[in-house]
Every structure is written in C-alpha cells, then in structure tokens.
C-alpha cells in the first residue's frame, strides 16, 4: 500500500466552472496551478521512496477527502481527482490514467477542520 498526502483543499467543480465562465484563460491557469500543486506533493513522496511498478497494474485507488466542513457537495469535491491524476502523470509516478493503469476508484469523505487534506491510497488491484 502506498499513501500520498496532499495537505490542501483542492478546487472543486463549481469553482472550476465559475473560472471557465469568468475568463477564457482563467480555468486553464487554475487547472495548471492545481495540477502543479498535486505534482509537488507526489514528487516529495517519490523522493521518500514511493514508486509504482508495472506489476501493480491495474491500480486500486482510494481517496480520503478530509474537508474543513460539510459545505461542499461530494461530487464537487471528487472533481479534484482530475488534478491528482494529472499530477501523478506530470511527476511521472504513472504513465497514464487509463484503464490499463487504474481499475478501481473509491472515495471516502471526512471532516477535519484543523487539517484539511487528501490522502491518496494506492494498491495493486490484486491486493
């Protein structure tokens, strides 16, 4: 089992849609900054020894979304998976986020007002 922690509340679907509607380049900048943020923490985990061998594919990924409160809808929160998977590819932890690499996605939503974060738990599909 591999665990990567991103100690931030990531942008949700509503914020992203509002950015798209406000200016044609704002959403692109938002996606880039969120992807870069995720890649930063993924690279830090890789420096500590996190690696995924092809023998683990397809992966089973569980995301624990620790939010500061319950104000955001669950589907709005889960939209941030896009930034996490793109960050994994940018950091070269995985080559792609397609069917060959990822088989199962599971989400768990929790509240931690003092330490909002996303914990990405990665297992081989057979584990």
């Amino acid at each position: 089992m591999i665990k990567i922690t991103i100690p931030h509340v990531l942008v949700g679907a509503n914020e992203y849609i509002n950015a798209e509607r406000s200016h044609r380049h704002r959403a692109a900048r938002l996606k880039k900054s969120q992807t870069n943020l995720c890649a930063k923490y993924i690279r830090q985990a890789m420096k500590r020894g996190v690696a995924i061998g092809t023998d683990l594919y397809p992966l089973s990924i569980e995301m624990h979304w620790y939010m500061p409160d319950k104000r955001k809808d669950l589907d709005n929160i889960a939209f941030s998976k896009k930034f996490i998977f793109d960050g994994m590819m940018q950091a070269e932890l995985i080559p792609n986020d397609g069917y060959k690499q990822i088989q199962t996605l599971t989400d768990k939503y929790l509240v931690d007002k003092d330490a909002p974060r996303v914990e990405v738990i990665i297992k081989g599909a057979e584990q």
Side-chain angles (χ1 to χ4, degrees):
M1 178 185 83
I2 296 166
K3 181 173 147 186
I4 299 170
T5 301
I6 301 167
H8 293 275
V9 173
L10 299 173
V11 169
N14 292 341
E15 294 102 333
Y16 187 80
I17 291 166
N18 289 338
E20 283 184 322
R21 290 178 179 164
S22 70
H23 189 275
R24 62 184 176 151
H25 298 297
R26 187 166 177 225
R29 285 193 304 267
L30 189 58
K31 180 187 178 300
K32 184 176 180 177
S33 70
Q34 291 290 284
T35 299
N36 288 342
L37 178 70
C38 293
K40 171 186 167 183
Y41 290 101
I42 292 162
R43 282 189 196 99
Q44 286 177 1
M46 292 170 70
K47 285 179 183 175
R48 291 189 307 270
V50 167
I52 297 175
T54 56
D55 58 318
L56 288 179
Y57 293 145
L59 303 172
S60 174
I61 300 179
E62 187 171 329
M63 296 195 185
H64 295 185
W65 306 92
Y66 290 87
M67 303 303 292
D69 51 49
K70 293 184 177 181
R71 284 188 266 174
K72 231 183 222 187
D73 292 338
L74 304 183
D75 60 331
N76 193 15
I77 296 166
F79 173 82
S80 300
K81 286 179 192 173
K82 174 69 177 158
F83 309 128
I84 295 169
F85 290 138
D86 288 353
M88 289 174 142
M89 290 185 296
Q90 183 177 309
E92 298 181 357
L93 181 63
I94 59 174
N96 200 346
D97 58 356
Y99 284 87
K100 289 181 182 178
Q101 293 79 25
I102 302 169
Q103 182 177 58
T104 307
L105 296 172
T106 308
D107 296 295
K108 188 172 184 178
Y109 302 93
L110 306 141
V111 174
D112 186 340
K113 66 178 182 165
D114 298 321
R117 64 195 179 279
V118 182
E119 292 178 353
V120 182
I121 297 147
I122 304 167
K123 299 176 188 173
E126 299 299 318
Q127 292 179 325

